[in-house]
mmCIF file of all heavy atoms in Angstrom:
data_model
loop_
_atom_site.group_PDB
_atom_site.id
_atom_site.type_symbol
_atom_site.label_atom_id
_atom_site.label_comp_id
_atom_site.label_asym_id
_atom_site.label_seq_id
_atom_site.Cartn_x
_atom_site.Cartn_y
_atom_site.Cartn_z
ATOM 1 N N ALA A 77 -10.001 24.840 3.568
ATOM 2 C CA ALA A 77 -10.135 26.102 2.825
ATOM 3 C C ALA A 77 -9.348 27.208 3.515
ATOM 4 O O ALA A 77 -8.670 28.011 2.864
ATOM 5 C CB ALA A 77 -11.605 26.485 2.681
ATOM 6 N N THR A 78 -9.403 27.234 4.835
ATOM 7 C CA THR A 78 -8.635 28.221 5.602
ATOM 8 C C THR A 78 -7.137 27.964 5.449
ATOM 9 O O THR A 78 -6.354 28.890 5.240
ATOM 10 C CB THR A 78 -9.022 28.163 7.097
ATOM 11 O OG1 THR A 78 -10.409 28.470 7.216
ATOM 12 C CG2 THR A 78 -8.210 29.141 7.919
ATOM 13 N N ALA A 79 -6.732 26.707 5.544
ATOM 14 C CA ALA A 79 -5.312 26.359 5.438
ATOM 15 C C ALA A 79 -4.765 26.693 4.055
ATOM 16 O O ALA A 79 -3.611 27.107 3.929
ATOM 17 C CB ALA A 79 -5.114 24.878 5.738
ATOM 18 N N ALA A 80 -5.568 26.527 3.017
ATOM 19 C CA ALA A 80 -5.104 26.740 1.648
ATOM 20 C C ALA A 80 -5.095 28.208 1.236
ATOM 21 O O ALA A 80 -4.518 28.561 0.214
ATOM 22 C CB ALA A 80 -5.980 25.952 0.674
ATOM 23 N N ARG A 81 -5.700 29.066 2.049
ATOM 24 C CA ARG A 81 -5.748 30.487 1.720
ATOM 25 C C ARG A 81 -4.338 31.081 1.801
ATOM 26 O O ARG A 81 -3.656 30.939 2.809
ATOM 27 C CB ARG A 81 -6.667 31.212 2.704
ATOM 28 C CG ARG A 81 -6.977 32.640 2.313
ATOM 29 C CD ARG A 81 -7.999 33.279 3.247
ATOM 30 N NE ARG A 81 -9.218 32.488 3.326
ATOM 31 C CZ ARG A 81 -9.749 32.055 4.475
ATOM 32 N NH1 ARG A 81 -9.191 32.341 5.624
ATOM 33 N NH2 ARG A 81 -10.850 31.333 4.463
ATOM 34 N N PRO A 82 -3.887 31.755 0.734
ATOM 35 C CA PRO A 82 -2.532 32.344 0.758
ATOM 36 C C PRO A 82 -2.418 33.407 1.841
ATOM 37 O O PRO A 82 -3.403 34.079 2.169
ATOM 38 C CB PRO A 82 -2.376 32.979 -0.623
ATOM 39 C CG PRO A 82 -3.476 32.442 -1.450
ATOM 40 C CD PRO A 82 -4.558 31.986 -0.527
ATOM 41 N N PRO A 83 -1.218 33.563 2.408
ATOM 42 C CA PRO A 83 -1.034 34.598 3.433
ATOM 43 C C PRO A 83 -1.196 35.979 2.803
ATOM 44 O O PRO A 83 -1.009 36.143 1.592
ATOM 45 C CB PRO A 83 0.398 34.374 3.926
ATOM 46 C CG PRO A 83 1.085 33.636 2.835
ATOM 47 C CD PRO A 83 0.024 32.848 2.129
ATOM 48 N N PRO A 84 -1.528 36.978 3.614
ATOM 49 C CA PRO A 84 -1.685 38.328 3.066
ATOM 50 C C PRO A 84 -0.357 38.830 2.496
ATOM 51 O O PRO A 84 0.715 38.471 2.982
ATOM 52 C CB PRO A 84 -2.135 39.168 4.258
ATOM 53 C CG PRO A 84 -1.825 38.369 5.465
ATOM 54 C CD PRO A 84 -1.758 36.945 5.049
ATOM 55 N N LEU A 85 -0.454 39.655 1.464
ATOM 56 C CA LEU A 85 0.748 40.225 0.861
ATOM 57 C C LEU A 85 1.394 41.219 1.816
ATOM 58 O O LEU A 85 0.706 41.890 2.593
ATOM 59 C CB LEU A 85 0.396 40.919 -0.453
ATOM 60 C CG LEU A 85 -0.176 40.024 -1.545
ATOM 61 C CD1 LEU A 85 -0.589 40.863 -2.743
ATOM 62 C CD2 LEU A 85 0.826 38.966 -1.942
ATOM 63 N N ARG A 86 2.709 41.311 1.717
ATOM 64 C CA ARG A 86 3.430 42.286 2.536
ATOM 65 C C ARG A 86 3.435 43.632 1.816
ATOM 66 O O ARG A 86 3.432 43.685 0.594
ATOM 67 C CB ARG A 86 4.876 41.832 2.739
ATOM 68 C CG ARG A 86 5.027 40.592 3.542
ATOM 69 C CD ARG A 86 6.514 40.297 3.710
ATOM 70 N NE ARG A 86 6.709 39.117 4.517
ATOM 71 C CZ ARG A 86 7.195 37.968 4.057
ATOM 72 N NH1 ARG A 86 7.538 37.854 2.802
ATOM 73 N NH2 ARG A 86 7.347 36.950 4.867
ATOM 74 N N SER A 87 3.519 44.679 2.610
ATOM 75 C CA SER A 87 3.663 46.001 2.008
ATOM 76 C C SER A 87 5.095 46.137 1.496
ATOM 77 O O SER A 87 5.981 45.356 1.848
ATOM 78 C CB SER A 87 3.381 47.090 3.053
ATOM 79 O OG SER A 87 4.424 47.111 4.019
ATOM 80 N N SER A 88 5.345 47.133 0.659
ATOM 81 C CA SER A 88 6.701 47.332 0.128
ATOM 82 C C SER A 88 7.670 47.647 1.262
ATOM 83 O O SER A 88 8.829 47.233 1.232
ATOM 84 C CB SER A 88 6.721 48.431 -0.929
ATOM 85 O OG SER A 88 6.270 49.651 -0.388
ATOM 86 N N LEU A 89 7.213 48.342 2.294
ATOM 87 C CA LEU A 89 8.074 48.632 3.444
ATOM 88 C C LEU A 89 8.445 47.343 4.176
ATOM 89 O O LEU A 89 9.609 47.144 4.553
ATOM 90 C CB LEU A 89 7.378 49.602 4.402
ATOM 91 C CG LEU A 89 8.153 49.960 5.671
ATOM 92 C CD1 LEU A 89 9.475 50.621 5.322
ATOM 93 C CD2 LEU A 89 7.319 50.879 6.561
#
Side-chain angles (χ1 to χ4, degrees):
T78 299
R81 190 175 305 126
L85 298 175
R86 294 182 178 112
S87 69
S88 59
L89 178 60

